[in-house]
Amino acid sequence: MATPHIGAAAGDFAGIVLMPGDPLRARLIADTYLQDAVQVTSVRNVFGYTGSYRGKRLSVMAHGMGIPSASIYATELIRDYGVGTLIRIGSCGSVDGARLGLRDIVIAMGACTDSKVNRLRLLDHDFAAIADFEVLRTAVETAARLGKPVRVGNVFTTDLFYGVQPQLLDVLRGMNVNAVEMETAGIYGVAAQYGARALAMLTVSDVIPTGEAMDAEARQNSFQDMMEIALETALQ
Ligand code: ADE
């Protein structure tokens, strides 16, 4: 039953799929955290795996970079493979280092965007791209139980990695938007359209106004904190 972008068989994916952007990160997650992980797709080297975490069947699959790529994988997982819950685990750029520093974790309650995808869905009206409330609540409670601080709020999903305007950063700060990334508003739109649950949690990898960026070790440590929250959330 392969789809154009996923080569798995029916039933190969668990009900919950964790989604990093990077295919090699998906492989690392499968190798590090899942028991008996089996690779279920590798079309275009976008890897997906299914295994179990503490006895629960769980999948991990990359979504690539940007809304178009993430939307393709999210759509096919939900519509064609019957996946019910997507949890994006990614990185973001803080718009204000004093409020949100390197390694901090943001849980995206909502996502603004400069993309038109959700307007295409809504006859050119604004769509409030929001997380699924139950998954959001579980993630926030799980982070608290684990003693890992998280910020919960708005993010901005951009089509332009290079070229975020300084005025836009001012406006985002002024509207209490925490960080910039490239997929969440699209994934939330797909989830709404196809009736699934979605949540994005993001680690700050850079502070956009200052150009500060995490080194490799900090990346790895902060990634582990977010992974623990995501895996424990998936268990609930
Ligand atoms: N993801 C991580 N950092 C980012 C940035 N500065 N802009 C957009 N997406 C990002």
Side-chain angles (χ1 to χ4, degrees):
M1 72 145 295
T3 62
H5 307 93
I6 301 177
D12 272 356
F13 285 100
I16 302 183
V17 181
L18 305 184
M19 301 196 80
D22 177 358
L24 293 180
R25 172 92 8 137
R27 174 178 287 170
L28 182 70
I29 292 167
D31 288 347
T32 309
Y33 297 101
L34 299 187
Q35 282 85 54
D36 303 318
V38 173
Q39 184 174 298
V40 294
T41 182
S42 62
V43 177
R44 290 173 180 248
N45 288 327
V46 177
F47 306 125
Y49 303 84
T50 297
S52 67
Y53 176 73
R54 297 228 251 138
K56 175 155 184 169
R57 194 162 180 259
L58 196 59
S59 296
V60 55
M61 179 167 180
H63 59 50
M65 283 185 283
I67 285 181
S69 175
S71 298
I72 286 169
Y73 297 108
T75 300
E76 293 180 12
L77 285 172
I78 297 166
R79 186 191 63 188
D80 303 318
Y81 289 93
V83 170
T85 305
L86 303 178
I87 302 179
R88 160 161 155 70
I89 38 178
S91 62
C92 64
S94 170
V95 300
D96 183 353
R99 269 186 26 199
L100 192 67
L102 290 180
R103 303 177 57 158
D104 288 349
I105 297 169
V106 189
I107 297 186
M109 185 155 63
C112 319
T113 187
D114 53 19
S115 157
K116 207 180 165 183
V117 288
N118 289 328
R119 289 196 169 194
L120 293 174
R121 293 190 169 94
L122 219 72
L123 303 177
D124 213 32
H125 301 302
D126 289 333
F127 171 74
I130 54 171
D132 176 83
F133 179 68
E134 292 300 332
V135 186
L136 172 73
R137 176 162 65 182
T138 302
V140 173
E141 288 173 356
T142 299
R145 179 166 54 78
L146 296 173
K148 298 188 188 301
V150 293
R151 177 177 284 268
V152 181
N154 226 336
V155 301
F156 186 86
T157 303
T158 185
D159 282 344
L160 284 178
F161 182 86
Y162 299 109
V164 172
Q165 305 287 326
Q167 317 89 280
L168 176 61
L169 293 179
D170 290 340
V171 170
L172 294 178
R173 275 190 291 270
M175 291 294 282
N176 202 25
V177 176
N178 297 284
V180 176
E181 53 81 74
M182 300 189 71
E183 293 85 13
T184 299
I187 293 171
Y188 287 178
V190 169
Q193 182 174 358
Y194 294 100
R197 313 189 305 167
L199 179 71
M201 50 184 82
L202 310 161
T203 300
V204 175
S205 62
D206 55 294
V207 176
I208 301 174
T210 61
E212 260 181 296
M214 277 201 294
D215 60 27
E217 193 189 338
R219 243 173 227 274
Q220 193 55 29
N221 293 338
S222 56
F223 168 71
Q224 281 166 9
D225 283 343
M226 184 173 63
M227 270 317 300
E228 217 176 306
I229 298 170
L231 287 163
E232 293 292 320
T233 297
L235 281 185
Q236 310 302 309

